[in-house]
């Protein structure tokens, strides 16, 4: 990039950095507050006295969340599910996006396939029928129940498809002339060029798998099979749930008090792994491909 | 062809992956146990929800604990839990849809109705008649209405799990004691007293006078001071059942509240505050009056004492009326859970035996069983992990309070026969001695000089209460609206209180309520519960 | 014809795994949509009594339901607009940062709010936006009286819109940054030689080349327009702002609190799907006919 050293440019850069810094700070502050809350006593949090620094420092919330083997076993389940799930997602996304990026002359019925997938983005049978299918497939208590439904994220697939379309046709054509079949073209030529897009949709998959908790609770009968977020969810008693139960279990009331600090600790524990991975993935976003322009 | 071969192999292996995934259920259900494993022991399957505050000894959990072992040893019954879930209602609905019912489980009233309609649960009339102990039958007699609500056409389909008693229902006005004492204020005997107390607190300490939240639940429980009974069904002048929230008395209450809001007595931000936000100011020491349930001591009590010290304690007072009398309390139907068994379950009497045993341990165990046994079964909230396998004594809290208050008065602990009684007694003593924040709940409920149950007992003994006419399962026509009908009232009432609408808007709100389905609800309730 | 098939078969084979999985886990459950026309009893399953359009009329006859449709659309559309503009602008600003390390830091920081659940954010926002909170204290410096951001019906939707954009823009930035890196630097070099300053470069090179991605993200998010964010609204609304803040999903939730209303939920879900489908189809056709973008 050729640098422009004019004054207006410099001014712009200063303003730019200021804006970026301010926005970034605004984004980080709630997180700092969260951290402080997670290390504060529940009575201080109930009184609303915690801002950016812990009040009455205590590690009780973390002890509670980390105690017992359940935290670590659910962490392992979450890692398994995220790695496997993302791999399955990426493979399917690539295998689907490539043929669909072609015209209907090159791939017959391509529009029909496309419509087939798009419908699933808009319509859903709902919780009960999906559950029944999962049961009939014998996936209850299996990690595949968290991976196979939704194994092809259509949104991500469409993004990748458009990226592929943006690449110049000459690249493929020259490979085909050299005698390569579609699969070889895909794997040897296209994949390396798709790295930024793959990193992008890969990140969506990772975050999606890591954060989802409801499917774990529904499809796993044995709590030992819960992934991390499902397990963390069970530690907290929500107010509505408690009020709807019969009679007032006084000890439930007591445990409710720890909810806010507990939730903060839970959030923090759940977010850390992703925030650690994110910078590593970033280098794929920022490495551009020095090749042709993006076509409209 | 090399290319295509590769692709073919890949497609096939993908599909193979899928197929192995299906057979790789591993930890799935492989129950092929016969109901009788040769030793004469019976196996029952159940499901349950999590109980996160129980403290298990090492190695135990909700499916394997001192109770399940007791069932095996004492009663020769194997209890297997098919699943445990935090989203119990949803998971149960899914299990029902996929026809995977366990032998015995608990349901809420609408699930009971649906299961009976679908003919999926067993008629328990005979099993109960023949095998239930006298004590268990006594529970049913003590709250016959709840017992009836589990029946259809005279046949018992769901055994009600009961509750701890009506004594836990009356509500009070809680007032911060040190502020009251320092201003030398008397106990409130009329609504005017409360208003003046609030104004004096505001003068001395700033801020606003009374803490309530956006649901209006706390103001609603105060409404009995104007002889209004919102949220429940009562007879109007013509003998027909109608909804308390739309009665003219409610209009009076609202007019007064709008006045109080203008004066700054009611929290100016109440409309956006939820339960936790409302209590934050109590815990932070910014407000001194709160209309609330009898369990104030547990939450926000514990946090308040922890944060501000024992002098910041709030005491309960009976809610007075506008004309200086004691307000009539609203009492609601309290049974929300039923025990059911699936249609072709094999051993109904085994389940009844477990229920008998639980009742025995809780009410008669003291003296008959070793203290260590009882402690392991009932302390640390282990008493609450049994899921569907218990029926509560509907008089338990009343009897408990009588014993505890007597023991505190006479210092004679011989009357304390259940572990619940001992806990309340010990915590009350603990608070008196050391002002331990964790003991605040039990202390304020039963042990304090001014305690909640003491007042509640007075209300019950003098019959100073009204029971809602909807004493049983809510008619479907009403529950199909969820909370949306009440929401119309809450929204409208909030506007009146905040002053964005005048008090005459009340009639518009009621009209809207009727049109949106309120009239249907009135009809349905009259059909089910009217004369 | 046969020859064409043989030639194309690699592409079709690539598509098979996705088609199979999507068929099993998305299409088979569509059968469950008949619940929308039944009075669903989990015990009777799909044999529950047939009620035709009753579920729909029951819900649509409720006056408070109809206003939720308007509220949903209002907040959704502005969230979408903001959800496109803000990440694009931010990506452009971020792109001007020359130092990679700083760029990545900013990018990570702004992604953080995405991880905070709305349950947590609600607690924080209630504090920050209260009468004595930071925002009102700041405004009072300029003589502005305290504003009730969460309690005023006319302001509440905007509080939702702005906070949602704030929470989610880090996500969109990822996509646009990836797209930006795919632009051929050669174009910029040529522009500089022609004497164009940075601002002109942005206007004539970057934006037009970014447009396909922008259009893609817009059309895809249109499929979501009737969702408007249940988690956020549920945790932040209150009866005083129902008239502008109650959305379809929160209303249906309250309908189903006392007895699980699977029929109603499915009926409303079906309604939403049909509307979304129409919107997406229309915008796809518009994008194609008017601007020449082929998204699907």
């Amino acid at each position: 990039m050729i640098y422009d050293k004019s004054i207006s440019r410099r001014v712009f850069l200063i303003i730019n950095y200021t804006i970026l810094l301010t926005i970034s700070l605004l984004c980080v502050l709630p997180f700092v507050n969260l951290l402080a809350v997670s290390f504060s006593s529940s009575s201080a949090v109930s009184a609303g006295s915690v801002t950016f620094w812990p009040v009455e420092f205590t590690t009780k919330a973390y002890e509670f969340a980390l105690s017992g083997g359940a935290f670590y076993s659910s962490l392992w389940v979450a890692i398994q599910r995220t790695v496997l799930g993302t791999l399955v997602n990426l493979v399917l996304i690539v295998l689907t996006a490539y043929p669909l990026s072609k015209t209907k002359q090159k791939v017959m019925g391509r529009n029909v396939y496309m419509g087939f997938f798009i419908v699933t983005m808009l319509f859903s049978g709902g919780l009960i029928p999906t559950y029944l299918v999962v049961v009939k497939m014998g996936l209850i208590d299996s990690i595949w129940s968290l991976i196979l439904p939704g194994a092809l994220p259509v949104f991500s697939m469409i993004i990748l498809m458009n990226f592929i379309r943006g690449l110049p046709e000459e690249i493929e054509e020259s490979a085909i002339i050299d005698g390569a079949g579609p699969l070889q073209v895909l794997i040897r030529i296209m994949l390396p060029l798709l790295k930024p897009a793959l990193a992008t949709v890969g990140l969506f998959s990772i975050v999606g798998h890591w954060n989802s908790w409801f499917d774990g609770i529904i499809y796993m009968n044995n709590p030992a099979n819960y992934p991390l977020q499902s397990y963390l969810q069970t530690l907290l008693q929500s107010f509505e749930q408690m009020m709807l139960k019969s009679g007032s279990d006084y000890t439930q009331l007591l445990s409710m008090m720890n909810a806010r600090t507990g939730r903060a600790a839970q959030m923090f524990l759940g977010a850390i792994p992703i925030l650690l991975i994110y910078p590593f993935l970033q280098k794929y976003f920022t490495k551009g491909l020095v090749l042709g322009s993006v076509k409209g | 062809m090399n290319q295509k071969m590769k692709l073919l192999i890949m497609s096939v292996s993908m599909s193979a992956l899928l197929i192995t995934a299906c057979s790789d259920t591993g930890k799935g259900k492989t129950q092929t146990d016969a109901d009788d494993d040769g030793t004469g022991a019976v196996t029952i399957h159940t499901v349950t929800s999590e109980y996160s505050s129980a403290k298990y000894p090492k190695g135990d959990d909700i499916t394997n604990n001192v109770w399940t072992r007791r069932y095996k040893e004492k009663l020769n019954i194997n209890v297997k839990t098919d699943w445990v879930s935090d989203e119990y209602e949803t998971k149960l609905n899914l299990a029902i849809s996929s026809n995977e019912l366990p032998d015995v489980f608990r349901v809420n009233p609408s699930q009971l109705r649906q299961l009976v309609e679908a003919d999926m649960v067993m008629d328990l009339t005979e099993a109960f008649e023949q095998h239930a102990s006298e004590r268990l039958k006594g529970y049913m007699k003590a709250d016959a209405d709840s017992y009836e609500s589990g029946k259809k056409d005279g046949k018992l389909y769901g055994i009600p799990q009961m509750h701890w008693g009506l004594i836990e229902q009356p509500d009070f006005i809680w007032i911060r004691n040190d502020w009251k004492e320092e201003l030398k204020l008397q106990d409130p005997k009329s609504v005017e007293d409360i208003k003046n107390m609030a104004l004096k607190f505001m003068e001395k300490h700033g801020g606003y006078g009374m803490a309530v939240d956006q649901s209006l639940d706390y103001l609603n429980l105060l409404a009995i001071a104007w002889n209004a009974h919102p949220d429940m069904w009562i007879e109007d002048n013509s003998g027909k059942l109608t909804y308390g929230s739309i009665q003219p008395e409610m209009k009076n209450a609202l007019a007064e509240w709008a006045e109080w809001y203008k004066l700054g007595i009611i929290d100016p931000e109440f409309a956006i505050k939820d339960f936790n936000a409302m209590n934050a100011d109590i815990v932070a020491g910014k407000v001194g009056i709160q209309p609330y349930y009898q369990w104030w001591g547990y939450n926000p009590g514990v946090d308040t004492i922890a944060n501000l010290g024992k002098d910041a304690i709030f005491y309960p007072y009976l809610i007075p009326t506008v004309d200086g009398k004691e307000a009539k309390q609203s009492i609601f139907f309290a049974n929300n859970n039923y025990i059911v068994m699936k249609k072709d379950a094999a051993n109904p009497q085994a389940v009844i035996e477990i229920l008998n045993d639980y009742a025995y341990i809780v009410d008669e165990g003291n003296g008959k069983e070793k203290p260590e046994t009882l402690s392991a079964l009932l302390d640390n909230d282990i008493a609450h992990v049994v899921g569907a396998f218990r029926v509560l004594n509907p008089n338990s809290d009343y009897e408990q309070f009588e014993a505890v208050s007597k023991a505190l008065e006479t210092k004679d602990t011989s009357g304390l026969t259940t572990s619940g009684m001992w806990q309340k007694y010990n915590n009350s003593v603990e608070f008196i001695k050391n002002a331990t924040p964790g003991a605040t709940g039990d202390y304020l409920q039963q042990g304090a000089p001014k305690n909640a149950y003491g007042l509640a007992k007075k209300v019950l003994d003098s019959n100073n209460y009204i029971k809602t006419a909807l004493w049983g399962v809510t008619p479907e026509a009403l529950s199909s609206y969820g909370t949306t009908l009440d929401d119309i009232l809450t929204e409208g009432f909030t506007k009146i209180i905040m002053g964005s609408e005048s008090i005459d808007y009340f009639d518009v709100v009621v009209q809207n309520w009727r049109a949106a389905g309120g009239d249907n609800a009135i009809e349905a309730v009259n059909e089910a519960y009217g004369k | 014809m046969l020859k064409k098939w043989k030639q194309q078969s690699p592409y079709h084979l690539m598509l098979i795994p996705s088609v199979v999985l999507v068929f099993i886990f998305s299409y088979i459950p569509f059968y469950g949509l008949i619940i929308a026309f039944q009075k669903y009893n989990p015990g009777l399953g799909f044999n529950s009594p047939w009620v035709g359009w009753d579920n729909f009329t029951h819900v649509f006859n409720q006056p408070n339901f109809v206003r939720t449709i308007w509220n949903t659309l209002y907040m959704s559309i502005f969230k979408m607009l903001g959800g496109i503009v803000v990440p694009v602008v931010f990506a452009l600003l971020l792109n001007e940062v020359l130092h990679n390390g700083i760029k990545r830091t900013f990018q990570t920081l702004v992604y953080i709010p995405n991880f905070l659940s709305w349950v947590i954010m609600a607690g924080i926002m209630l504090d920050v936006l209260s009468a004595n909170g930071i925002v009102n204290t700041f405004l009072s410096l300029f003589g502005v009286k305290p504003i009730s951001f969460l309690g005023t019906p006319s302001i509440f939707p905007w509080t939702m819109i702005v906070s949602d954009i704030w929470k989610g823009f880090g996500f969109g930035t990822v996509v646009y940054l990836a797209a930006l890196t795919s632009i051929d630097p050669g174009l910029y070099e040529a522009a500089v030689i022609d004497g164009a300053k940075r601002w002109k470069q942005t206007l004539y090179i970057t934006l037009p080349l970014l447009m396909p991605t922008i259009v893609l993200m817009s059309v895809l998010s249109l499929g979501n327009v009737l969702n408007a964010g249940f988690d956020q609204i549920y945790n932040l609304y209150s009866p005083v702002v129902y008239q502008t803040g109650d959305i379809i999903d929160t209303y249906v939730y309250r309908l189903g609190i006392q007895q699980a209303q699977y029929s109603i939920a499915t009926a409303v879900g079906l309604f939403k799907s049909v509307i979304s489908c129409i919107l997406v189809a229309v915008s796809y056709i518009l994008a194609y006919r008017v601007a020449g973008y082929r998204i699907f």
Side-chain angles (χ1 to χ4, degrees):
Chain A
M1 187 144 63
I2 299 177
Y3 302 154
D4 170 9
K5 295 263 190 214
S6 71
I7 302 214
S8 60
R9 173 79 177 158
R10 291 248 179 93
V11 168
F12 166 72
L13 280 176
I14 295 178
I15 298 182
N16 194 20
Y17 272 101
T18 317
I19 296 178
L20 291 175
L21 200 59
T22 318
I23 296 183
S24 304
L25 262 174
L26 273 178
C27 291
V28 176
L29 288 178
F31 206 67
V32 175
N33 168 271
L34 190 75
L35 203 52
V37 165
S38 71
F39 282 111
S40 302
S41 74
S42 77
S43 56
V45 172
S46 295
S49 5
V50 182
T51 48
F52 299 118
W53 200 254
V55 174
E56 284 165 40
F57 184 87
T58 170
T59 53
K60 239 175 42 183
Y62 287 99
E63 283 164 34
F64 186 52
L66 293 171
S67 67
F71 179 81
Y72 299 100
S73 62
S74 66
L75 182 64
W76 174 234
V77 174
I79 293 178
Q80 277 182 303
R81 174 248 172 107
T82 305
V83 169
L84 270 175
T86 306
L87 270 173
V88 169
N89 287 156
L90 286 176
V91 168
L92 287 178
I93 287 175
V94 167
L95 282 182
T96 313
Y98 184 57
L100 290 181
S101 67
K102 308 253 169 248
T103 61
K104 65 176 193 254
Q105 283 76 32
K106 289 247 176 71
V107 177
M108 264 177 8
R110 174 245 166 237
N111 288 342
V112 174
Y113 282 116
M114 196 70 226
F116 176 80
F117 290 120
I118 293 183
V119 164
T120 67
M121 250 194 347
L122 300 167
F123 288 85
S124 162
L127 178 60
I128 294 188
T130 314
Y131 178 81
L132 291 176
V133 168
V134 172
V135 169
K136 286 282 169 1
M137 299 294 289
L139 296 181
I140 296 291
D141 264 332
S142 159
I143 201 164
W144 294 101
S145 68
L146 308 177
I147 298 175
L148 293 179
L152 174 73
V154 180
F155 186 89
S156 296
M157 189 274 288
I158 294 182
I159 292 184
L160 194 79
M161 186 188 75
N162 276 279
F163 260 76
I164 296 179
R165 280 203 189 139
L167 298 172
E169 289 170 8
E170 299 83 46
I171 309 178
E172 288 181 70
E173 277 163 23
S174 53
I176 294 178
I177 289 174
D178 285 348
L183 190 60
Q184 283 174 331
V185 175
L186 176 59
I187 297 182
R188 296 228 188 95
I189 316 280
M190 306 298 287
L191 273 189
L193 298 178
L194 293 173
K195 285 218 192 93
L198 284 177
T200 310
V201 300
L203 179 70
F204 294 166
S205 269
I206 292 177
V207 172
H209 275 293
W210 188 259
N211 284 339
S212 77
W213 57 274
F214 190 67
D215 54 356
I217 292 190
I218 294 299
Y219 295 129
M220 300 302 189
N221 282 344
N222 185 349
N225 294 332
Y226 282 175
L228 182 64
Q229 297 286 14
S230 304
Y231 166 68
L232 292 177
Q233 190 75 9
T234 64
L235 293 179
L236 302 174
Q237 188 77 4
S238 88
F239 181 62
E240 287 83 16
Q241 278 181 325
M242 199 221 71
M243 285 320 251
L244 286 176
K245 286 208 180 117
S246 74
S248 344
D249 278 328
Y250 304 118
T251 41
Q252 297 282 55
L253 284 170
L254 288 175
S255 68
M256 226 176 83
M257 289 180 327
N258 300 318
R260 223 175 140 185
T261 53
R263 208 171 269 126
Q266 163 193 336
M267 183 112 291
F268 199 68
L269 289 172
I272 289 286
I274 297 285
L275 289 174
L276 290 177
I277 297 185
Y278 191 64
F280 288 107
L281 284 176
Q282 275 185 313
K283 62 176 192 226
Y284 293 105
F285 302 146
T286 47
K287 243 190 225 157
L289 38 98
V290 190
L291 198 79
S293 52
V294 176
K295 286 212 177 88
Chain B
M1 289 312 129
N2 193 10
Q3 254 280 276
K4 282 239 285 268
M5 255 326 193
K6 279 205 205 153
L7 256 171
L8 190 62
I9 293 175
M10 212 162 64
S11 287
V12 169
S13 40
M14 282 260 163
S15 315
L17 193 68
L18 180 62
I19 296 175
T20 43
C22 299
S23 47
D24 175 34
T25 50
K27 306 158 206 156
K29 300 193 309 279
T30 48
Q31 271 99 357
T32 49
D33 43 32
D35 271 343
D36 191 340
D37 65 2
T39 62
V42 148
T43 305
I44 307 184
H45 291 270
T46 187
V47 295
T48 188
S49 56
E50 280 288 358
Y51 198 90
S52 48
S53 35
K55 298 193 184 29
Y56 299 97
K58 202 157 167 84
D60 280 2
D61 61 33
I62 201 166
T63 63
N64 171 27
N65 52 62
V66 59
W67 283 102
T68 56
R69 290 192 283 278
R70 182 182 171 82
Y71 303 150
K72 182 93 216 305
E73 283 151 22
K74 283 272 154 63
L75 306 168
N76 219 0
I77 304 175
N78 267 326
V79 170
K80 288 210 181 353
T81 309
D82 288 346
W83 52 259
V84 179
S85 181
D86 224 43
E87 297 275 336
Y88 180 78
E89 308 293 351
T90 307
K91 194 108 169 98
L92 186 58
N93 281 331
L94 290 173
I96 297 175
S97 316
S98 57
N99 222 336
E100 296 173 290
L101 289 183
D103 294 315
V104 56
F105 52 104
R106 82 160 162 87
V107 294
N108 63 38
S110 84
Q111 284 165 331
L112 176 64
R113 175 179 44 225
Q114 286 171 335
L115 287 170
V116 171
E117 215 176 283
D119 196 25
M120 290 173 89
V121 287
M122 186 191 265
D123 177 355
L124 300 169
T125 327
E126 242 194 75
F128 193 78
E129 193 47 50
Q130 289 184 359
H131 300 279
S133 63
E134 281 313 306
R135 176 158 286 280
L136 204 58
K137 290 189 181 156
Y139 290 173
M140 298 298 147
K141 284 210 195 70
D143 189 351
D145 290 322
S146 292
Y147 186 43
E148 287 305 304
S149 71
K151 296 186 185 167
K152 179 149 187 206
D153 302 329
K155 300 197 206 136
L156 182 68
Y157 288 101
I159 303 174
Q161 284 199 291
M162 296 293 182
H163 45 81
W164 277 277
L166 295 183
I167 196 171
E168 60 175 4
Q169 290 208 32
D171 307 311
F172 309 102
I173 186 98
W174 291 80
I175 301 180
R176 187 159 160 173
N177 201 46
D178 52 357
W179 288 7
K180 176 169 169 282
E181 296 290 304
E182 88 182 317
L183 290 171
K184 304 215 194 331
L185 296 169
Q186 299 299 319
D187 295 355
K189 289 280 181 284
S190 73
V191 171
E192 198 62 25
D193 288 343
I194 299 181
K195 180 178 172 192
N196 290 332
M197 201 178 283
L199 288 168
K200 291 223 170 67
F201 279 1
M202 283 159 64
E203 216 183 295
K204 185 84 203 286
H205 298 276
Y208 57 91
M210 193 165 82
V212 293
D213 83 352
Q214 61 177 237
S215 66
L216 294 187
D217 284 345
Y218 304 93
L219 275 178
N220 279 340
L221 64 87
L222 190 59
I224 56 177
W226 288 267
N227 296 315
H229 291 273
D231 297 333
M232 70 177 217
W233 293 85
I234 49 184
E235 268 181 43
D236 65 11
N237 300 328
S238 65
K240 198 162 161 227
L241 293 178
T242 184
Y243 198 47
S245 306
I246 60 173
Q247 295 306 96
E249 290 88 355
M250 197 63 200
K251 199 171 175 182
N252 298 339
L254 284 168
E256 185 85 24
W257 293 338
E259 227 353 83
W260 289 13
Y261 186 82
K262 260 209 235 129
L263 292 171
I265 295 178
I266 295 183
D267 181 356
E269 290 192 290
F270 84 90
I272 58 173
K273 285 193 180 166
D274 63 359
F275 177 78
N276 286 321
M278 164 184 71
N279 282 332
D281 281 346
I282 300 269
V283 176
K286 296 198 190 136
V287 59
I289 301 182
Q290 192 178 27
Y292 206 83
Y293 312 110
Q294 46 87 359
W295 45 265
W296 186 96
Y298 298 90
N299 190 349
V302 174
D303 276 342
T304 309
I305 305 294
N307 208 31
L308 303 171
K310 77 172 181 5
D311 290 324
I313 200 167
F314 281 54
Y315 284 129
Y317 298 90
L318 281 175
I319 297 176
T321 62
V322 276
D323 31 355
K325 302 216 219 20
E326 282 172 12
K328 247 180 156 64
Q329 295 278 347
S330 303
I331 300 288
F332 296 87
F333 182 67
N335 188 75
N336 279 321
N337 288 305
Y338 300 87
I339 305 167
V340 295
M341 296 191 223
K342 84 170 175 196
K343 192 101 197 268
D344 47 5
N347 297 288
Q349 69 262 35
V351 174
I352 311 274
E353 276 167 33
I354 298 182
L355 296 179
N356 290 339
D357 184 56
Y358 188 89
Y360 159 74
I361 289 286
V362 171
D363 278 352
E364 293 177 63
N366 205 333
K368 296 197 190 141
E369 298 281 337
K370 295 212 257 313
E372 312 89 61
T373 315
L374 290 177
S375 170
L377 287 171
L378 299 172
D379 288 343
N380 294 321
D381 291 330
I382 301 290
H384 301 304
V385 307
V386 293
F389 290 114
R390 73 168 172 186
V391 175
L392 296 171
N393 177 353
N395 286 330
S396 50
D397 269 11
Y398 191 92
E399 290 165 1
Q400 183 189 78
F401 173 65
E402 279 188 311
V404 171
S405 45
K406 185 132 169 265
L408 284 171
E409 211 184 291
T410 63
K411 305 282 192 273
D412 171 14
T413 59
S414 58
L416 300 177
T417 55
T418 72
S419 93
M421 290 178 191
W422 273 107
Q423 182 194 318
K424 301 278 157 109
Y425 175 78
N426 285 333
N427 275 330
S428 302
V429 168
E430 176 68 27
F431 190 89
I432 294 173
K433 265 214 302 247
N434 302 323
T436 316
T440 314
D442 289 339
Y443 174 69
L444 279 175
Q445 189 189 62
Q446 299 192 21
K450 294 181 190 162
N451 63 69
Y453 271 10
L455 297 176
K457 180 168 188 295
K458 202 163 155 237
V459 168
L460 290 182
D461 290 344
S462 59
N463 273 321
N464 196 13
Y465 58 88
I466 304 184
K467 280 181 168 175
T468 178
L470 211 174
W471 199 256
V473 177
T474 309
E476 211 179 330
L478 175 49
S479 62
S480 74
Y481 286 103
T483 60
T484 58
L485 287 180
D486 276 339
D487 294 333
I488 296 178
L489 298 176
T490 310
E491 206 185 322
F493 291 174
T494 305
K495 289 200 184 129
I496 295 177
I497 297 173
M498 291 176 74
S500 31
E501 295 282 353
S502 77
I503 188 63
D504 298 312
Y505 186 61
F506 179 80
D507 303 314
V508 176
V509 177
V510 173
Q511 199 36 47
N512 290 342
W513 182 86
R514 284 182 184 276
D519 280 335
N520 292 344
I522 291 182
E523 227 180 273
V525 172
N526 272 293
E527 207 185 297
Y529 294 96
K531 304 235 171 26
Chain C
M1 179 69 185
L2 200 58
K3 183 162 183 243
K4 222 184 179 188
W5 238 108
K6 271 174 78 176
Q7 199 186 38
Q8 290 185 356
S9 56
Y11 295 117
H12 293 277
L13 283 176
M14 281 188 212
L15 287 168
I16 286 183
S18 300
V19 171
V20 168
L21 281 174
V22 166
F23 180 76
I24 296 178
F25 291 102
S26 298
Y27 274 83
I28 295 185
F30 280 158
Y31 184 72
L33 285 173
I34 65 171
I35 297 178
F37 302 96
Q38 296 175 324
K39 185 166 155 266
Y40 188 69
N41 176 339
L44 298 171
F46 297 134
N47 295 322
S48 297
W50 187 262
V51 294
W53 294 102
D54 280 1
N55 290 320
F56 292 90
T57 51
H58 178 65
V59 174
F60 280 90
N61 277 336
Q62 293 175 27
N64 283 347
F65 175 76
V66 179
R67 74 178 177 189
T68 64
I69 302 182
W70 168 245
N71 293 341
T72 309
L73 284 173
Y74 185 83
M75 283 193 276
S76 226
I77 290 178
F78 284 107
K79 279 185 188 178
M80 250 179 56
L81 282 174
I84 304 283
V85 170
V86 172
V88 167
V89 169
F90 193 79
L92 289 175
L93 288 181
L94 203 54
N95 209 27
E96 300 297 318
V97 172
L98 304 168
H99 190 260
N100 258 345
I102 299 187
K103 197 175 183 174
R104 274 200 232 165
T105 313
F106 280 141
Q107 212 186 331
T108 312
L109 290 180
V110 301
Y111 199 45
I112 288 180
N114 210 30
F115 289 101
L116 305 175
S117 74
W118 279 114
V119 178
I120 301 249
M121 276 316 297
I124 297 178
M125 279 174 70
L126 201 55
D127 275 341
V128 167
L129 296 174
S130 71
N132 303 319
I134 301 177
V135 177
N136 273 316
T137 314
F138 180 70
L139 287 175
S140 70
L141 294 176
F142 301 97
V144 178
K145 280 223 191 57
I147 303 177
S148 176
F149 292 95
L150 291 171
T152 316
S154 50
I155 301 184
F156 180 80
W158 289 99
T159 313
M160 295 298 104
I161 294 168
V162 171
S163 57
D164 190 55
I165 294 175
W166 170 86
K167 188 169 178 295
F169 81 95
F171 178 89
T173 311
V174 169
V175 178
Y176 296 117
L177 265 178
L180 280 174
T181 60
S182 321
I183 298 181
D184 177 11
L187 290 173
Y188 292 113
E189 286 161 20
V192 170
I193 292 173
D194 282 349
K197 289 285 164 69
R198 194 65 185 158
W199 168 243
K200 282 246 162 56
Q201 293 169 23
T202 309
L203 212 50
Y204 292 112
I205 303 176
T206 320
L207 277 181
L209 291 177
L210 209 48
M211 205 40 82
T213 315
I214 296 179
V215 173
L216 169 68
M217 296 295 277
S218 308
V219 174
L220 287 178
S221 61
L222 258 183
N224 226 17
V225 80
L226 285 176
N227 284 331
F230 174 83
D231 268 343
Q232 178 199 34
I233 307 280
Y234 177 72
N235 280 294
L236 284 166
Y237 80 164
S238 48
V240 73
V241 291
Y242 276 176
Q243 74 195 60
T244 55
D246 199 10
I247 58 173
I248 297 177
D249 289 338
T250 48
Y251 191 83
V252 171
Y253 174 79
R254 297 201 310 275
L255 262 184
I257 282 193
Q258 272 147 21
Q259 67 180 40
Q261 301 264 46
Y262 292 109
S263 295
I264 304 268
T266 311
V268 174
L270 188 56
F271 165 73
K272 280 169 50 179
S273 292
V274 169
I275 303 284
S276 304
C277 193
I278 296 176
L279 284 174
V280 169
V282 166
S283 56
Y284 167 67
I285 293 177
L286 274 177
Y288 191 40
R289 295 280 160 80
V290 172
Y293 294 129
R294 208 170 111 243
I295 302 168
F296 290 143

